[in-house]
Amino acid sequence: MDLLVAPFSTNTFMLQALIAGVLISIACAIAGTFIILRGLAFIGDALGHGVLPGIAVALLIGFPGILGAAIGAGIMIGGITLITQRSRLSSDTAIGLLFVGMLSLGVVIVSRSSSFSGDLTRILFGEILGISIQSILIQLVATVLIIAIALVCARPFLLLSFDPEQAEVAGFPVRLYHNIMLLMIAITVVVSFQTVGTLLVFGLLIAPAGAGALLAKRIEVMMAWATLFGALSMYSGLLISYYFNLAAGASIILVTIVIFFIVFALQNLRHPRIAPPQEVRHG
C-alpha cells in the first residue's frame, strides 16, 4: 500500500502533478464528452496542434506560453468560423486547412530558432512533474469555467449533438452555441497543454470520454465515467513514470488508451453481437 501512496506523500512535485491532473481530467471529461457526442474529434486534434505557432511566438518574445496558446486557439476558431460562414466549404475542410497551415507555421518558427531545443519537448509533451502552484490555480479557474459553461448550456449542447434542427426549432441559436462549444474545447486545450503538452492533450479529450460512452446511456454518467478514467490514468501514469523512470505525459496517455481498450473488450464480451450505437441521454 505504501508503494501506491509514498510517491505523492513524500514528493511535493508528484502531489502537485496529481492535483493538476485531476483538474485536467474533469475539464477534459466535460469537453471530451461533447467532442464525442458532436463528432468534433478532428477539431480537438486540430486545436491541440494548431496552437503551436502561438506558443512558439510567445516564448520567443518572452511572454507566457499559455497566452500564445490562447491567441493561437482564437485564430483557429475565428478562421474556421469565417471560412464556413463566407464560403461553401464544409467545417471539416476549414479545420483541415487551418490545422495544416498553423502546424506548418509552428514548425517553421521552431526550425528557425536555436532556442527551442528544450522548449519544443515541453510544448509537445508538457511538464506535469514541474507544474507550479500558479499553473494549478489557472487550471482550477479554467475547470470551474468549463463546468459553468456545460451547466448553463447543457440543453442546447445536447440538442446540437443529436438534432441541430430541433435545437433551432426550440429557439436556440445554433451557430452561437456551436461557437460556445468550440470555445469550451479551446479553453480545455489551452490550459491543459502546460501539463500534458499539445501532442498528448488530444488523448485525454478522446480516450476517457470514449470509454465513458461505451458504458453510459446518460450524459451525466458518461462525464462521470470519463472523469474517473481520466483521474485513474493520471494516478497510474504518474506511478508508472516514477517507478520505471519513464516520460510522465506519455505514460498517462498510454494508460488512458489501455483503459479504453479494456472497457471495449469487456463490453464486447458482455454483448458479443455488434449493435447500433446507443443514444446518450440527458437526465
Side-chain angles (χ1 to χ4, degrees), residues 56 60 107-117 119:
L60 276 176
V107 171
V108 168
I109 294 170
V110 169
S111 68
R112 290 294 297 170
S113 173
S114 59
S115 63
F116 273 106
S117 55
D119 286 335

Side-chain angles (χ1 to χ4, degrees), residues 33 64 83-84 90 99 109-110 132 152 157 169 180 183 205-206 212 218 232 246 274 279-280:
T33 293
I83 291 172
T84 52
S90 68
F99 171 35
I109 294 170
V110 169
S132 65
V152 172
F157 278 6
V169 170
I180 292 174
L183 176 64
L205 283 169
I206 298 301
R218 297 169 67 92
L232 179 60
L246 300 173
I274 298 176
E279 180 178 321
V280 179

Side-chain angles (χ1 to χ4, degrees), residues 89-217:
L89 298 177
S90 68
S91 59
D92 278 352
T93 303
I95 293 166
L97 287 168
L98 285 161
F99 171 35
V100 173
M102 293 288 280
L103 182 58
S104 300
L105 178 60
V107 171
V108 168
I109 294 170
V110 169
S111 68
R112 290 294 297 170
S113 173
S114 59
S115 63
F116 273 106
S117 55
D119 286 335
L120 182 59
T121 301
R122 180 163 56 88
I123 291 169
L124 294 176
F125 299 101
E127 50 176 356
I128 189 167
L129 296 180
I131 200 77
S132 65
I133 295 295
Q134 181 183 13
S135 295
I136 292 175
L137 291 175
I138 292 172
Q139 183 68 54
L140 175 61
V141 172
T143 301
V144 171
L145 178 60
I146 289 163
I147 292 171
I149 292 172
L151 287 173
V152 172
C153 303
R155 180 165 172 74
F157 278 6
L158 191 73
L159 289 173
L160 270 178
S161 299
F162 295 111
D163 193 348
E165 290 183 3
Q166 182 62 36
E168 208 160 333
V169 170
F172 297 113
V174 171
R175 186 177 296 172
L176 172 63
Y177 282 103
H178 177 72
N179 288 334
I180 292 174
M181 188 181 291
L182 294 184
L183 176 64
M184 182 179 69
I185 296 168
I187 292 171
T188 306
V189 170
V190 167
V191 298
S192 299
F193 99 88
Q194 293 186 108
T195 305
V196 292
T198 61
L199 197 60
L200 302 179
V201 67
F202 183 59
L204 277 175
L205 283 169
I206 298 301
L214 295 176
L215 295 172
K217 296 180 180 179

